[in-house]
Each structure stands twice: as C-alpha cells, then as structure tokens.
Amino acid sequence: MSISKALTIAGSDSGGGAGIQADLKTFQELNVFGMSAITAVTAQNTLGVHGVFPLTADAVVQQIEAIGSDLGADAIKTGMLFNSEIIEVVSDQIKRFNWSRVIVDPVMIAKGGASLLQDEAVEALKNHLLPLALVVTPNIPEAEELTGMKVNNLDDRQTAAKILHSYGVKNVVIKGGHADSEEQLVDLLFDGTEFSYFTSRRIDTKNTHGTGCTFAAAITAEVAKGKSIFDAVETAVDFIQEAIKEDIGLGLGHGPTNHWAYQMKRRGQQYVE
C-alpha cells in the first residue's frame, strides 16, 4: 500500500482553526498522512491571537531532521515561520533533504490583525525560502507586502504574480478573498508562462478563520499524491469553498471552517447542525 505523506512546518493554533491543526485536518481529509514541525505556539481563539511563543531554531531543526531522516515527505508546507532565523534554518533543511515539492503559505497577519511574521523576516522569506518554493499562496495583503506594490484589481494581481515568480517561485497563486469589489472570488495561478483563473461564489460569513492555511494544505496534500499544480489548486478551491459554505458556527469571533464538509459532499452526505 502506497501512502502519500505531507509535512507542515508552521505554528500551533490552540483554537484548532488554523496553523498546524488546520493543516493536519486537511491532510487527513484528503487521504494523506500528515506530520508536523512546530515553529511557535500561539494562545489563540476565534477572537484573536493572545500570545505568540516561538520555539528556538534548534527545536525546529530537530523536528524536521526527525521526519527527514526516517519518514520522509512527499510534499512540504510552510506556514507561520515568525522570524528570519527560523526561515533560514527551514530553508537549509529543505535543501538538505532535497525536498522539491514545497508549498509556501506566507503567513504574516492573523484574522484579528496580530502580526505573525516579524518585519525583518520578510526579506529572509524572499531571499531564502521563496526560491525553493514550488508554489506560493499569498492573499492580496501578503502579495502587496512581498512585492511592494498595491494590488487593486486583477491586472495588478497578474503583475504581482510575475514579480513573485521572478523571486524564483515556480508557481504563484494569489487568492481573491480580500478583493472586496468582486462579487465572485477569483484565485489566480501563474506558472511563469500562463495565467489560470479559478472562480467560486463569495459566501457572506465571518467564519473564515484558517482559510489560508487550509487552502495551502489542500494544495500540499494533492501535490503529495502526485497531482498537477492546476489540479491541486482546483481541488483546494473546491475544498475551501465547501469548508466555508457549511458553517459550523463555533466561537464568538471569526469561527473556523468545516474541514470535513468537502468529503461529506463527495460521499453525498448532507451536513446537519
């Protein structure tokens, strides 16, 4: 029996909606064995991030070494890396184990506005990690931070994607969730030559905590199984659409998405509160 494996290198969300917890749930739902290396522990719930406690770079390295030297991984996802030292050692480990299927979710700001990446770490992300990435999945504010340009429309997203590709990233996905003027969501994929567009219906809900993590984790899971980037993004769009649509309504703030909704739909089951 061949089992596909994915490693997430990210922060822990005590509320369970984002970070390591969202990634592992997504891997499981997409039939991939999930493993983790935790970069930071957060005290977090639907109301916001109440504390961030980064691990040492050595602690992160030892977790990655434990996976790479024994279990191996078919795809890697990075999420919250917090500082430049962690970014640099993660990049070194990716090169050490010759991992080429690397999906980078450039986590910078939490839903409630808390910073999850130190300012000095942005350059480290651009210089060390993005050149190793098979896919990078910024939302619009993250794309603006990484490119230094304002992104106001789809043409701007195309330009930003080309800039990000010039950093060495093989495929760029700029998500459309922050494009308030659009009645529908349009996620853009640029492979260095062509643009592809994935359209989905915008859903009016505040319960979108962890959508970025979940979306990138779905891409990672599909890539781990050997799917093409286009097919992986297509599945991720469908996965997150169902996760948002089938609202589970937890917490007092930005609630988490429903990670089991996609598979329930595929099995022809109806979610009931």
Side-chain angles (χ1 to χ4, degrees):
M1 181 179 179
S2 178
I3 298 175
S4 299
K5 298 162 292 182
L7 167 64
T8 171
I9 306 170
S12 169
D13 172 8
S14 56
I20 290 284
Q21 288 82 353
D23 294 344
L24 294 177
K25 291 173 187 177
T26 303
F27 293 163
Q28 185 77 11
E29 289 297 317
L30 291 172
N31 303 313
V32 169
F33 182 77
M35 304 162 292
S36 65
I38 297 175
T39 59
V41 173
T42 69
Q44 187 173 175
N45 56 25
T46 67
L47 296 173
V49 178
H50 306 287
V52 178
F53 310 94
L55 274 68
T56 65
D58 185 57
V60 176
V61 167
Q62 289 196 40
Q63 291 176 82
I64 297 171
E65 286 180 338
I67 302 303
S69 63
D70 178 25
L71 295 155
D74 297 303
I76 313 296
K77 173 190 176 287
T78 67
M80 174 189 173
L81 300 179
F82 190 68
N83 61 36
S84 58
E85 186 179 11
I86 291 176
I87 290 171
E88 290 176 21
V89 298
V90 167
S91 301
D92 288 342
Q93 291 301 305
I94 288 171
K95 288 186 284 189
R96 174 188 171 185
F97 290 106
N98 198 30
W99 285 323
S100 58
R101 296 172 175 174
V102 179
I103 287 73
V104 175
D105 180 19
V107 177
M108 295 181 177
I109 301 172
K111 272 288 183 294
S115 177
L116 299 177
L117 184 69
Q118 294 184 340
D119 292 341
E120 45 81 24
V122 175
E123 289 303 311
L125 188 70
K126 290 161 62 174
N127 294 330
H128 295 280
L129 189 57
L130 291 188
L132 305 176
L134 177 63
V135 185
V136 64
T137 63
N139 58 32
I140 289 174
E142 291 163 347
E144 291 178 335
E145 183 68 31
L146 289 169
T147 61
M149 65 172 285
K150 291 297 294 181
V151 177
N152 297 313
N153 51 47
L154 195 56
D155 288 342
D156 290 343
R157 266 194 273 170
Q158 292 174 343
T159 301
K162 290 178 180 178
I163 294 173
L164 289 168
H165 186 268
S166 75
Y167 297 161
V169 182
K170 294 178 177 63
N171 299 273
V172 178
V173 179
I174 300 183
K175 298 170 290 189
H178 287 76
D180 294 334
S181 62
E182 295 177 5
E183 293 183 2
Q184 291 185 313
L185 295 182
V186 179
D187 298 310
L188 175 153
L189 166 64
F190 180 58
D191 65 3
T193 303
E194 296 180 345
F195 290 98
S196 300
Y197 306 94
F198 302 84
T199 302
S200 55
R201 180 171 60 88
R202 184 179 292 278
I203 298 168
D204 184 17
T205 177
K206 67 174 183 176
N207 296 322
T208 56
H209 179 55
T211 51
C213 303
T214 300
F215 180 81
I219 294 175
T220 306
E222 293 302 290
V223 167
K225 292 186 287 190
K227 299 294 180 65
S228 70
I229 301 302
F230 182 93
D231 288 345
V233 174
E234 189 172 51
T235 296
V237 170
D238 291 343
F239 189 98
I240 199 64
Q241 180 76 0
E242 291 303 314
I244 295 172
K245 185 175 70 174
E246 298 293 355
D247 195 337
I248 53 178
L250 297 179
L252 301 175
H254 294 285
T257 62
N258 182 345
H259 288 90
W260 59 82
Y262 175 79
Q263 287 294 6
M264 290 188 71
K265 179 183 179 183
R266 294 189 66 182
R267 292 193 295 264
Q269 295 175 304
Q270 184 175 4
Y271 176 74
V272 179
E273 291 191 59

